[in-house]
Amino acid sequence: MPKFKPYDYNQSSMVVINYQDQLQSGTFEHAIHHLIENTLDLSIFFPNYKNDDGGRPAYDPAILLKIVLFAYSKGITSSREIQWCCETNIIFKALSCDTVPHFTTIASFVSSHSEEIESLFEQILLVCHEQGLLGNELFAIDGCKMSSNAAKEWSGDFKELGEKQQKIRRQIQYHVKEHERLDKQESKNQERIKRTEQAIETLDKAAEKIERFLKTQSPRMGQGKRPKEVKSNITDNESGKMTTSKGTIQGYNGVAAVDKKHQIVIDAQAFGEGQEHHTLAPVLESIETRLKRLGISEDIYATGTVVTADTGFANETNMKYLHEHKINAYVPDNRFRSRDPKFSNQKAKYGKRHQDNKPKNSKHAKKVIPASEFNFDPVNLICRCPAGETISYRGTREDLYGNPKAMFEGRLMQCRNCALKHQCMKNPSSADHRKGSGRQVSFILEHKRKPNYTDWMKHRVDSNQGKMVYSHRMSVVEPVFGNIGTNKKLNRFSLRSKKKVQGQWQLFCMVHNIEKLANYGQLAA
């Protein structure tokens, strides 16, 4: 029989642990401990405490900040799990000095100090600047859409929410009648009766929730020159419905601006809209104001710093803003690859991008007769559909890039009885309703088109200099999202409201910046 070393669980042992020794130099936990103890000003938290003359002592913000940052670096966002780690993990014990804050204390610290978190983000950014990690040569801006702590099933405009409430009321009436029927039976099924009572209670709470929202809130309006009502959300009305490669989500768009030299995040904001057009100017203004306030640069854009952003930020309004403020930016439109001869064979070689990743219920899944099959007369503004019908002219509007477009729409009587409606319309059933609409098409009026700011940006991006500069964008900002999303496991925001979500987003970006300080900075050993 083989021999093994003996062991006995029924024994006692005394282990002497020095918590300072657990925070080894060169590790992330040592970096946050050193920064918080020696560099960061945590007095910004003090006005929130009112126990100077009496009351129970509170946990030091330094302790709470250390364990939260270390937990986020390990992909742990649950306050209950952070509390458990403080009880069982030696590094958490070392950072917290063997204290175990309650999970409600941890959750309140993260959600109630958004302004203080932003101040800490700026303090760490200043440390990065002092240690030479900022190059201020090129900034790359991009957004990362993630789900929020709200279900998209509770979204809709005010009309849709009202209809949902009426539907719930009808379900309540059905369950009430079913409860009365079961109650009258001689052999009563108590289990079914109880389930019916629970269904009535749940549905009644849902109906009251919708009614309370409709009475206390106003319709949410979108961005743009002609803002329209967008879908509200009862749970978190500052979040928005967003289309991603994995389908539609209810969430926030975490926008980050990253410095090229060491991929330091210099600005982090959360927006509750899927469209990125209106986020460019606020981000640029925030960068300029922050760098001036921190004494890094009085006018960062006057120094020639390059700003890059992807096609999601391109529209005529943004191009005008960049031109008027003399910002050295490169923001291409969504056709810039098709104008580059180097990408002429890309579609034949690789096929259509994301073709297999589109959700089955995507609106793009069905192919319809394209607008090129319509007979358009730009002089007389007349358009005939493939069936030979003249469809109605609805006026001229400018698209996102400032191009004048003639809008046409088929009348209901035309499309409803058309033999081609199933090939021509994405939703043919809409033509069968009184409030529906027929096929809509638009055409750019080239003869009325004037040079605009989008043309100015096209010239910049299509130049050899523009191609060279813009090629750096992806290698600057995408690794940051890869680190936060994959290594730090952030795939959804756990808080509600724009202010709190932005604080959480800045905490993760702060973790990323501290890692850069630990790897490339000059933190004391």
Side-chain angles (χ1 to χ4, degrees):
M1 184 174 179
K3 296 181 180 180
F4 300 104
K5 292 183 178 181
Y7 57 88
D8 182 13
Y9 285 109
N10 189 23
Q11 61 178 319
S12 300
S13 176
M14 180 176 292
V15 180
V16 178
I17 299 176
N18 183 286
Y19 293 128
Q20 188 72 43
D21 293 342
Q22 308 307 312
L23 307 176
Q24 294 295 313
S25 177
T27 61
F28 179 77
E29 53 267 26
H30 175 267
I32 58 176
H33 173 72
H34 177 81
L35 280 171
I36 292 174
E37 291 294 327
N38 301 286
T39 306
L40 301 184
D41 178 18
L42 300 187
S43 62
I44 53 177
F45 291 97
F46 294 173
N48 298 308
Y49 297 91
K50 308 296 181 183
N51 59 349
D52 304 60
D53 302 324
R56 188 176 180 180
Y59 285 101
D60 195 309
I63 294 294
L64 297 174
L65 184 61
K66 288 177 186 178
I67 62 175
V68 167
L69 288 175
F70 186 69
Y72 277 22
S73 73
K74 301 300 180 184
I76 303 172
T77 57
S78 168
S79 55
R80 293 176 185 269
E81 190 172 354
I82 295 175
Q83 177 186 341
W84 180 80
C85 288
C86 290
E87 297 172 347
T88 59
N89 188 290
I90 187 61
I91 303 299
F92 278 92
K93 279 181 171 293
L95 290 172
S96 65
C97 282
D98 204 20
T99 59
V100 184
H102 196 261
F103 70 88
T104 55
T105 303
I106 299 171
S108 177
F109 179 79
V110 174
S111 63
S112 304
H113 297 95
S114 300
E115 295 178 359
E116 290 79 5
I117 290 172
E118 183 171 3
S119 176
L120 291 174
F121 176 84
E122 293 185 349
Q123 291 185 47
I124 292 175
L125 182 62
L126 185 58
V127 175
C128 293
H129 168 68
E130 292 172 348
Q131 298 192 9
L133 300 189
L134 293 182
N136 295 331
E137 298 175 0
L138 184 145
F139 299 153
I141 303 173
D142 205 352
C144 182
K145 299 175 183 176
M146 284 177 282
S147 299
S148 61
N149 191 8
K152 63 181 179 181
E153 288 74 17
W154 288 102
S155 293
D157 56 34
F158 268 47
K159 180 182 178 182
E160 293 171 342
L161 293 175
E163 293 173 349
K164 186 180 182 70
Q165 183 189 25
Q166 295 301 320
K167 182 179 179 180
I168 293 175
R169 293 296 186 192
R170 290 193 296 269
Q171 290 176 334
I172 292 175
Q173 293 176 1
Y174 166 79
H175 285 291
V176 168
K177 292 180 180 178
E178 181 68 11
H179 184 274
E180 292 175 351
R181 185 184 68 80
L182 293 172
D183 195 49
K184 291 179 181 179
Q185 291 180 352
E186 295 183 1
S187 56
K188 297 182 179 180
N189 189 330
Q190 296 297 334
E191 185 177 350
R192 288 189 60 187
I193 292 176
K194 186 177 180 179
R195 287 202 305 267
T196 306
E197 290 174 349
Q198 291 176 345
I200 293 172
E201 183 180 358
T202 301
L203 291 170
D204 191 53
K205 288 181 179 179
E208 290 179 357
K209 184 178 180 181
I210 297 176
E211 184 176 3
R212 184 166 56 251
F213 180 84
L214 294 176
K215 287 182 177 180
T216 58
Q217 302 293 329
S218 301
R220 186 178 176 185
M221 307 305 293
Q223 304 285 335
K225 297 179 180 178
R226 296 178 293 273
K228 297 181 180 179
E229 182 182 359
V230 297
K231 293 182 183 296
S232 303
N233 185 271
I234 294 178
T235 308
D236 183 1
N237 198 29
E238 291 184 292
S239 65
K241 270 195 171 182
M242 304 178 183
T243 302
T244 68
S245 60
K246 297 180 181 179
T248 303
I249 64 171
Q250 183 74 33
Y252 286 89
N253 186 18
V255 179
V258 183
D259 182 86
K260 177 188 174 184
K261 185 176 182 180
H262 282 290
Q263 296 173 334
I264 301 294
V265 181
I266 60 173
D267 187 76
Q269 298 186 50
F271 296 91
E273 296 86 16
Q275 295 292 333
E276 295 176 324
H277 304 137
H278 66 281
T279 66
L280 183 62
V283 169
L284 293 174
E285 292 170 358
S286 176
I287 294 172
E288 184 178 26
T289 303
R290 175 176 291 116
L291 298 187
K292 184 176 181 179
R293 182 169 59 248
L294 297 178
I296 297 176
S297 176
E298 284 297 316
D299 190 352
I300 187 64
Y301 303 123
T303 62
T305 299
V306 176
V307 175
T308 63
D310 66 4
T311 57
F313 295 87
N315 67 356
E316 179 66 9
T317 303
N318 285 342
M319 301 306 105
K320 182 180 179 181
Y321 176 89
L322 295 171
H323 186 274
E324 291 179 345
H325 288 77
K326 299 180 180 180
I327 299 176
N328 187 17
Y330 294 87
V331 185
D333 61 291
N334 57 4
R335 302 289 297 172
F336 81 108
R337 293 292 189 204
S338 62
R339 298 191 300 269
D340 192 341
K342 295 179 181 179
F343 292 87
S344 58
N345 298 323
Q346 186 182 34
K347 189 173 182 180
K349 185 176 181 180
Y350 298 105
K352 193 173 182 180
R353 291 184 62 198
H354 309 303
Q355 188 171 6
D356 297 330
N357 295 330
K358 286 184 178 179
K360 294 181 179 179
N361 59 349
S362 172
K363 293 182 179 180
H364 302 283
K366 180 180 177 181
K367 294 183 179 180
V368 297
I369 298 175
S372 58
E373 297 294 326
F374 287 66
N375 187 3
F376 172 55
D377 180 0
V379 178
N380 299 313
L381 293 179
I382 297 174
C383 181
R384 291 185 177 85
C385 69
E389 294 284 344
T390 301
I391 59 178
S392 303
Y393 171 61
R394 297 301 188 191
T396 302
R397 301 176 186 171
E398 287 188 356
D399 63 7
L400 292 174
Y401 306 107
N403 300 317
K405 300 185 76 172
M407 317 295 294
F408 293 89
E409 180 181 333
R411 295 189 299 274
L412 286 176
M413 292 303 296
Q414 291 174 317
C415 297
R416 183 178 297 161
N417 303 312
C418 180
L420 298 177
K421 71 176 183 178
H422 291 282
Q423 292 79 36
C424 189
M425 301 180 66
K426 294 178 181 178
N427 185 16
S429 60
S430 64
D432 299 329
H433 301 286
R434 183 178 298 177
K435 295 183 179 180
S437 60
R439 173 64 190 272
Q440 298 174 343
V441 291
S442 61
F443 304 91
I444 295 178
L445 301 175
E446 295 290 349
H447 65 288
K448 291 186 178 182
R449 186 179 179 280
K450 298 179 180 179
N452 53 29
Y453 294 99
T454 301
D455 294 328
W456 165 73
M457 183 57 71
K458 284 181 181 179
H459 177 74
R460 289 175 59 82
V461 173
D462 291 344
S463 65
N464 292 330
Q465 173 73 11
K467 292 175 183 177
M468 183 188 69
V469 171
Y470 186 73
S471 64
H472 294 285
R473 186 202 67 84
M474 187 174 292
S475 63
V476 173
V477 68
E478 294 300 341
V480 177
F481 292 147
N483 180 36
I484 294 175
T486 303
N487 298 335
K488 307 300 176 285
K489 303 175 184 178
L490 178 65
N491 54 15
R492 68 185 296 271
F493 294 111
S494 58
L495 302 178
R496 295 173 181 171
S497 83
K498 180 180 182 298
K499 185 178 181 180
K500 294 179 180 180
V501 168
Q502 181 162 304
Q504 190 173 38
W505 176 239
Q506 289 176 342
L507 276 173
F508 272 96
C509 292
M510 198 187 307
V511 169
H512 172 84
N513 287 349
I514 295 175
E515 283 185 341
K516 294 295 182 179
L517 279 170
N519 294 332
Y520 304 105
Q522 303 165 3
L523 291 179

